[in-house]
Amino acid sequence: MGPAPVVPLLDTVATAVSDAIGRVRPHLAGPDPVVRRSDRADFQSNAVLPLAQQTGVPPTQLATELADELASRTGDSVIAEVVSSGPGFLNITATDAAIWAQLAARLHDPRLGVGTPAQGQRIIVDYSAPNVAKEMHVGHLRTTIIDDSLARILGFLGADVLRANHLGDWGTQFGMLIEYIDEHPEQRWHTDDIGTESTVSALDGLYKAARARFDTDPGFADRARTRVVALQSGDPHTVARWRDIVGESEKAFGAIYQRLGVLLTPDDYIGESFYNPMLADTTTELLDTAVAVDSDGAVVVLSEQVTGPDNTPAVLMVRKSDGGYGYDSTDLATIRYRITTLRPDRLLYVTDSRQALHFRLIFEAARRAGWLTDAVAVHHVSYGTILGPDGKPFKTRAGGTVRLMDLLDDAVAAARAVAAARAVVAEKNPDLPAEDLDAIAEQAGSGAVKYADLSTSRIKDYMFDTERMTAFNGNTGVYLQYAHARIRSILRKVGEPAHTHVDTSAELDTAERTLVLELNNYATVLTDINHTLEPHRLANYLYDLARAFTAFYDTCPVLTAPEPVCGNRIAACQLTARTLAHGLDLLGISAPARL
């Protein structure tokens, strides 16, 4: 076992307030002390007003009693001052020693003082889910990076995280594509044959040609249908061709995942084909439990919770009247398999908000079938839409879907231009080798795309603007990367010591106080995300931390300060750099030491 987590100062103060309430009013023992960070003091407790309403005691009287009780115990070296403010507020100032002690404890902890509240939980995260033989596009961006960040955070908090990339690798379209490829052996689509062209782009073009021929050539349409039957029945040649298409597509997906810096690997790819053998048994079980019923030859689940516009139950199509299976069928088999075989404690499905109804129906059916019980928490982690400069869903100028690789290229190009201009203007590294500038641009561009998404509440739409997201100023990933690199530059100048002593008897400057209290909030932010599944909380925390450091550095000299102030400020720089780098890594964003 690792070291015990550092108890956040906010929690210590909250406990002190709660204990004081119990001493002043024993019958009210154990309430939420409602302690928050404050811009009027270090912390503020808002518990007095609701407690006063319960007891009939005037709020000002109860606040004064609590303030006096807390003030009588300020010798515990945590609370320095308590002031009653307004009708029922307590403004609480911590001691300088307690704040410095927090800095020291987190600095010397390899986990930065963060505990493992998700320890013992098995969590399955379902995300990305591109379609085989098709380009990944802008619609895959949010699912891929939001849940990759959640997987990183939950894993750091102690969970056993299983990543599931639910590839679209099955269906009638593969019969068309395989038949067309067999009839046109001159077409090149393998990675080794097409150079820099995207494999999935080539396959997508072949599929479109196959589709056009299917619609106009009855003979080809018949052969394509026969090929579908051959694939479903396991014909060796057809299956081998299908596996080849899947393998080449996975290479293309992997190239994008590598550029995005997400943790998905081929071991996490579980295509729709994996669940195909389970569809019949899933259907039978739903029928046997009367969750599903026959409807004109089809098998459906009629919702008991959701009705459509005509006031009839919403429907899940378990099996079509022709005996075929579709999207609903596969998702039902998937949740059945995951719960009964993988036995998770939590299931996260990260898809756009337009699929909310679909997953509500899937979860309802799973509960009625007895697969989903109270022992398993299931979440549809929904998100909004990426918009273009015109405020409409992001499209190419021709109105088509934006390829994800093109989107990354545009962001990297913008970051490269900004980095080059900044280097020349600042007269720093004007002759920076092109390969170094390219590496910086790739890190900054990819980070900019991810941060622009992750810093926005996932349920909201946001506008994709490469110029804004690659700016060195404002709430951008590049600003945070630059802040980290700036601190690393300071530490290089002092020859960053391996172990920095923090003198807890030193007085705190106002900017020092703000910075250290912000650092102290890191564990609280991560623990909140364990419950809210909102990574924008971490992104915005890191931005606030970077701003607090800027204010600190502007008013508190580090290199020229006398001891013990210099040592304490170096420690603050070290912890800030480590927290920024660690937080960015949890968002899947690199933190270069130089930028």
Side-chain angles (χ1 to χ4, degrees):
M1 294 182 62
V6 179
V7 178
L9 195 54
L10 183 148
D11 292 357
T12 302
V13 171
T15 299
V17 175
S18 183
D19 290 347
I21 293 170
R23 290 191 297 270
V24 171
R25 291 286 188 276
H27 63 288
L28 296 177
D32 181 357
V34 198
V35 174
R36 305 287 185 268
R37 287 280 287 115
S38 172
D39 56 1
R40 297 185 178 183
D42 295 336
F43 305 99
Q44 183 179 83
S45 172
N46 300 338
V48 173
L49 190 57
L51 291 175
Q53 291 172 343
Q54 290 181 39
T55 61
V57 176
T60 53
Q61 177 184 333
L62 184 56
T64 299
E65 291 177 10
L66 285 174
D68 291 344
E69 174 61 25
L70 287 166
S72 71
R73 297 172 181 265
T74 54
D76 66 1
S77 77
V78 174
I79 295 178
E81 183 182 35
V82 183
V83 177
S84 175
S85 173
F89 300 104
L90 297 177
N91 291 329
I92 302 168
T93 301
T95 64
D96 290 0
I99 294 174
W100 282 128
Q102 281 280 324
L103 173 66
R106 294 179 185 281
L107 179 64
H108 299 143
D109 183 348
R111 289 183 55 84
L112 301 173
V114 181
T116 53
Q119 188 74 42
Q121 292 186 25
R122 167 168 281 199
I123 303 176
I124 299 176
V125 291
D126 179 314
Y127 65 117
S128 195
N131 291 314
V132 164
K134 291 187 178 181
E135 291 275 11
M136 287 186 71
H137 54 75
V138 66
H140 294 107
L141 179 63
R142 301 207 74 182
T143 174
T144 301
I145 66 176
I146 289 173
D147 214 21
D148 189 67
S149 175
L150 290 175
R152 289 169 180 262
I153 293 169
L154 295 171
F156 179 66
L157 294 179
D160 173 21
V161 176
L162 304 181
R163 295 171 175 81
N165 192 355
H166 192 79
L167 299 182
D169 67 347
W170 199 251
T172 57
Q173 69 270 28
F174 289 100
M176 288 185 232
L177 179 58
I178 293 170
E179 183 62 30
Y180 189 84
I181 288 174
D182 273 6
E183 294 184 13
H184 295 82
E186 76 282 359
Q187 294 289 346
R188 296 180 177 273
W189 53 274
H190 288 86
T191 303
D192 294 339
D193 296 333
I194 60 177
T196 59
E197 185 185 355
S198 165
T199 299
V200 287
S201 179
L203 285 169
D204 195 20
L206 293 177
Y207 171 72
K208 290 175 181 176
R211 178 81 239 189
R213 188 168 175 192
F214 182 91
D215 291 339
T216 58
D217 183 341
F220 176 80
D222 289 341
R223 294 192 298 276
R225 293 188 186 97
T226 301
R227 184 69 71 172
V228 173
V229 175
L231 177 61
Q232 293 173 341
S233 62
D235 171 66
H237 170 74
T238 304
V239 170
R241 179 70 80 188
W242 170 76
R243 291 189 187 281
D244 196 12
I245 292 169
V246 172
E248 288 292 322
S249 297
E250 288 181 353
K251 290 179 185 177
F253 302 152
I256 290 182
Y257 294 146
Q258 184 176 17
R259 286 194 72 183
L260 279 173
V262 301
L263 298 179
L264 286 171
T265 70
D267 291 339
D268 305 315
Y269 300 169
I270 306 177
E272 292 177 348
S273 58
F274 177 81
Y275 304 100
N276 195 58
M278 309 175 194
L279 298 179
D281 287 345
T282 300
T283 303
T284 299
E285 184 172 343
L286 290 170
L287 284 168
D288 289 346
T289 56
V291 175
V293 296
D294 181 85
S295 176
D296 296 327
V299 177
V300 301
V301 174
L302 303 176
S303 176
E304 296 177 347
Q305 301 175 0
V306 184
T307 57
D310 55 357
N311 209 34
T312 59
V315 176
L316 277 176
M317 182 64 67
V318 181
R319 187 177 66 207
K320 301 174 185 177
S321 58
D322 63 2
Y325 298 99
Y327 183 66
D328 294 351
S329 319
T330 302
D331 275 351
L332 286 165
T334 300
I335 196 169
R336 173 176 176 259
Y337 169 80
R338 287 174 175 171
I339 293 173
T340 59
T341 303
L342 301 180
R343 299 192 178 280
D345 299 288
R346 298 172 76 183
L347 268 169
L348 311 184
Y349 288 82
V350 183
T351 70
D352 71 51
S353 55
R354 291 170 295 181
Q355 296 192 53
L357 174 59
H358 170 75
F359 282 106
R360 182 178 176 184
L361 296 176
I362 292 291
F363 300 158
E364 179 197 341
R367 286 193 181 91
R368 290 168 57 189
W371 311 327
L372 182 58
T373 67
D374 291 342
V376 182
V378 62
H379 309 270
H380 176 219
V381 185
S382 61
Y383 54 82
T385 302
I386 300 177
L387 306 176
D390 58 359
K392 298 178 181 179
F394 199 29
K395 300 284 186 181
T396 64
R397 290 183 178 179
T401 302
V402 179
R403 295 195 325 154
L404 192 46
M405 194 65 85
D406 291 341
L407 183 149
L408 289 173
D409 286 343
D410 289 347
V412 169
R416 193 183 196 284
V418 171
R422 188 177 181 87
V424 172
V425 171
E427 296 184 355
K428 296 176 181 178
N429 304 322
D431 299 318
L432 189 69
E435 58 269 23
D436 292 346
L437 187 57
D438 288 343
I440 290 172
E442 185 69 33
Q443 290 177 312
S446 173
V449 169
K450 298 179 78 170
Y451 187 83
D453 194 306
L454 293 170
S455 61
T456 303
S457 172
R458 60 175 168 77
I459 63 173
K460 295 182 178 180
D461 300 341
Y462 77 93
M463 187 174 296
F464 192 90
D465 182 341
T466 55
E467 183 176 350
R468 183 192 62 80
M469 64 178 58
T470 56
F472 271 83
N473 299 312
N475 190 7
T476 69
V478 177
Y479 170 73
L480 293 183
Q481 289 174 320
Y482 178 67
H484 173 264
R486 183 185 185 191
I487 302 171
R488 285 297 172 197
S489 175
I490 295 168
L491 294 173
R492 284 193 296 271
K493 292 177 181 178
V494 299
E496 185 173 3
H499 186 88
T500 303
H501 172 71
V502 177
D503 187 336
T504 59
S505 66
E507 292 186 9
L508 271 164
D509 180 274
T510 300
E512 287 175 324
R513 185 178 214 92
T514 300
L515 176 60
V516 179
L517 286 172
E518 197 67 59
L519 288 164
N520 179 65
N521 202 35
Y522 187 49
T524 302
V525 170
L526 294 182
T527 301
D528 285 347
I529 295 172
N530 183 37
H531 302 292
T532 65
L533 303 175
E534 295 176 334
H536 77 274
R537 293 173 182 259
L538 173 57
N540 292 332
Y541 165 79
L542 295 175
Y543 177 58
D544 289 340
L545 177 61
R547 290 199 303 169
F549 179 83
T550 297
F552 156 80
Y553 190 69
D554 287 346
T555 59
C556 300
V558 175
L559 305 181
T560 60
E563 291 296 350
V565 175
C566 180
N568 282 16
R569 289 178 179 175
I570 290 173
C573 290
Q574 289 177 311
L575 184 57
T576 303
R578 284 182 55 199
T579 304
L580 282 173
H582 189 267
L584 284 171
D585 183 65
L586 291 181
L587 295 178
I589 298 172
S590 63
R594 290 178 170 83
L595 191 64

